[in-house]
């Protein structure tokens, strides 16, 4: 896709987001430095949190944008019932999260912000994910072999646990992986 001479900056340390954006055929650089502190009020409606975080990361970018730059930021949240599942703090927390997700439906909401010096566009995509009942042996095997401590909800859909544990998805697979590629492609085309 022609970016009309604009340089894309991905402000994310996520290897999955880098892989997915590269898969769209865009050239981009990575610069995840931000002054933004990720915090929100407990009263914030859950479905609004990813957009707030994505926009905050964009506005907190460590420097002003140049006229030929487009900044892309993103935030993913896993919501199981009324509980937000962030990145697990340790092995015990990862086990707790996967037990909570076992045999249940949950939502994965990813928000993306596209910004240049004059415009900002933030949107989010939600996908419903259904796990089969996971055994303790499966949970232990996954955590010990894949160490999902950098992933919201303590799992990566593209890893072993996704192969054996996810029985259905309503929505975008890539959104669950961490970046809604199809929607981003359409939004960036419109932005340009």
């Amino acid at each position: 896709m022609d970016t009309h001479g604009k340089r894309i900056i991905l402000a994310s340390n996520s290897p999955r987001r880098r892989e997915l954006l590269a898969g769209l055929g865009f050239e981009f650089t990575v610069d995840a430095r931000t002054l933004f502190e990720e915090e929100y009020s407990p009263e914030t409606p859950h479905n609004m949190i990813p957009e707030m975080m994505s926009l905050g990361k964009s506005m907190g970018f460590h420097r002003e944008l140049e006229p030929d730059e487009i900044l892309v930021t993103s935030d993913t949240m896993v919501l199981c019932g009324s509980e937000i599942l962030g990145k697990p703090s340790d092995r015990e927390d990862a086990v707790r999260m996967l037990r909570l997700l076992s045999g249940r439906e949950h939502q994965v909401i990813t928000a993306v912000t596209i910004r240049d010096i004059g415009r900002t566009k933030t949107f989010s995509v939600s996908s419903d994910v259904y796990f089969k009942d996971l055994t303790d042996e499966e949970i232990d095997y996954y955590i010990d072999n894949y160490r999902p401590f950098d992933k919201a909800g303590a799992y990566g859909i593209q890893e072993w646990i996704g192969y054996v544990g996810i029985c259905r998805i309503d929505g975008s697979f890539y959104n669950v992986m961490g970046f809604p590629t199809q929607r981003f492609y359409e939004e960036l085309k419109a932005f340009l």
Side-chain angles (χ1 to χ4, degrees):
M1 173 195 274
D2 179 16
T3 59
H4 306 284
K6 299 273 189 174
R7 293 181 297 132
I8 297 174
I9 302 168
L10 176 63
S12 174
N13 285 318
S14 165
R16 291 159 299 283
R17 287 195 185 115
R18 285 194 292 261
E19 175 188 343
L20 292 171
L21 186 56
L24 288 172
F26 295 111
E27 288 187 22
F28 61 94
T29 57
V30 175
D31 184 349
R33 292 174 286 175
T34 183
L35 307 173
F36 178 65
E37 296 289 331
E38 292 190 40
E39 54 190 30
Y40 52 86
S41 162
E43 291 82 42
T44 305
H46 291 151
N47 63 328
M48 293 178 59
I49 294 169
E51 288 193 13
M52 287 176 49
M53 295 297 108
S54 178
L55 183 60
K57 291 173 185 178
S58 182
M59 295 309 186
F61 191 61
H62 68 100
R63 64 172 175 80
E64 294 293 319
L65 294 176
E66 299 293 327
D68 65 341
E69 292 177 326
I70 292 177
L71 183 68
V72 176
T73 55
S74 189
D75 190 77
T76 298
M77 179 181 79
V78 175
L79 185 62
C80 187
S82 62
E83 184 174 351
I84 297 170
L85 302 181
K87 296 174 184 172
S89 55
D90 55 25
R91 188 185 191 287
E92 186 178 313
D93 196 30
V95 169
R96 179 190 69 80
M97 288 183 188
L98 289 173
R99 282 185 179 149
L100 180 66
L101 295 171
S102 176
R104 294 182 66 185
E105 170 196 0
H106 65 278
Q107 287 70 48
V108 178
I109 305 168
T110 300
V112 178
T113 300
I114 304 169
R115 182 169 70 89
D116 64 14
I117 60 168
R119 296 168 299 154
T120 303
K121 171 69 178 182
T122 300
F123 62 90
S124 60
V125 174
S126 180
S127 302
D128 296 330
V129 181
Y130 300 80
F131 264 107
K132 73 171 187 113
D133 289 320
L134 299 170
T135 66
D136 287 344
E137 183 181 3
E138 289 166 336
I139 290 171
D140 289 341
Y141 175 83
Y142 175 64
I143 292 170
D144 293 341
N145 287 280
Y146 291 87
R147 308 191 53 76
F149 305 117
D150 65 333
K151 295 174 179 70
Y155 79 92
I157 193 171
Q158 72 282 7
E159 294 176 339
W160 183 84
I161 199 78
Y163 297 169
V164 304
I166 293 176
C167 48
R168 190 169 114 215
I169 303 169
D170 292 337
S172 166
F173 172 87
Y174 297 109
N175 183 57
V176 180
M177 201 169 151
F179 198 73
T181 52
Q182 186 276 330
R183 176 79 184 272
F184 173 77
Y185 179 79
E186 297 300 328
E187 294 285 356
L188 185 61
K189 270 199 323 189
F191 193 87
L192 291 168

